[in-house]
Amino acid sequence: MLDVTDLPVFTEFGFTDSEWGLLVGLPQSVLTAASAAEHDGTRRTLAENAAGLEAISEGRESPSKLVSAVAAELVTRVGDPESGAELPAIEPSDPAGYATDVLGRARAAAELLTAKASEGDTGAYKHWLVTIAEQVVTAAPSGGILGIGGDVVTDTERAFRDRLATVLND
């Protein structure tokens, strides 16, 4: 006899394995796309990754059971910043194409959540994704000299964050 505790967590929310994969993979993809929106060097990319991983990790504290479950699974997969885990600096060869792909997956996730999740969980997940993007794009100023000066959020970073928010709320 199958014990209910043996079922994958996504079954509790009514998602298939592939749907759950979309929801769990998207936060890290948002982090990568937001970071890649502006090519600003390895040190800044690592700072952006750290901020994004922290924002992902903070999802575990969400009052939304869906967001906390997704965040917990993702942190288990990629590492917990509280234990010193760091994400490698991923720089897509085609940042604009990658961003377009991520926005398409964000739209699919929004449609999936609207169809299968509560309004509260849907809103919390969307807000969490935008928060991740916001934390990433504000983590390290771009431009300037030797890390001094520059824009906190560049036009391309702002455009990605704003497009993400628009896609999620259409």
Side-chain angles (χ1 to χ4, degrees):
M1 180 170 191
L2 182 65
D3 184 359
V4 174
T5 58
D6 293 338
L7 293 174
V9 70
F10 60 81
T11 60
E12 174 185 338
F13 297 102
F15 295 113
T16 66
D17 186 39
S18 64
E19 290 168 340
W20 188 247
L22 170 67
L23 296 175
V24 171
L26 191 54
Q28 186 176 4
S29 296
V30 164
L31 183 165
T32 301
S35 178
E38 184 73 35
H39 181 72
D40 45 15
T42 303
R43 184 180 60 78
R44 288 187 178 111
T45 298
L46 290 173
E48 291 167 345
N49 282 350
L53 185 56
E54 185 63 36
I56 287 169
S57 175
E58 288 170 0
R60 295 179 295 181
E61 316 268 325
S62 174
S64 162
K65 287 184 178 186
L66 175 68
V67 171
S68 63
V70 169
E73 182 158 334
L74 187 51
V75 168
T76 299
R77 291 180 185 185
V78 301
D80 189 342
E82 292 176 11
S83 66
E86 294 181 10
L87 292 175
I90 299 170
E91 297 186 29
S93 59
D94 177 11
Y98 186 80
T100 298
D101 175 67
V102 170
L103 293 169
R105 287 187 279 146
R107 178 174 281 111
E111 291 169 359
L112 171 66
L113 291 168
T114 298
K116 288 194 164 187
S118 72
E119 191 176 320
D121 280 340
T122 299
Y125 183 86
K126 291 175 179 180
H127 177 76
W128 181 49
L129 290 181
V130 174
T131 298
I132 293 166
E134 178 71 18
Q135 292 296 324
V136 170
V137 301
T138 60
S142 296
I145 299 172
L146 299 174
I148 300 169
D151 296 322
V152 174
V153 180
T154 67
D155 290 342
T156 55
E157 291 169 329
R158 184 177 298 107
F160 173 76
R161 181 202 57 209
D162 293 350
R163 285 176 54 211
L164 176 66
T166 299
V167 162
L168 290 171
N169 293 305
D170 274 352

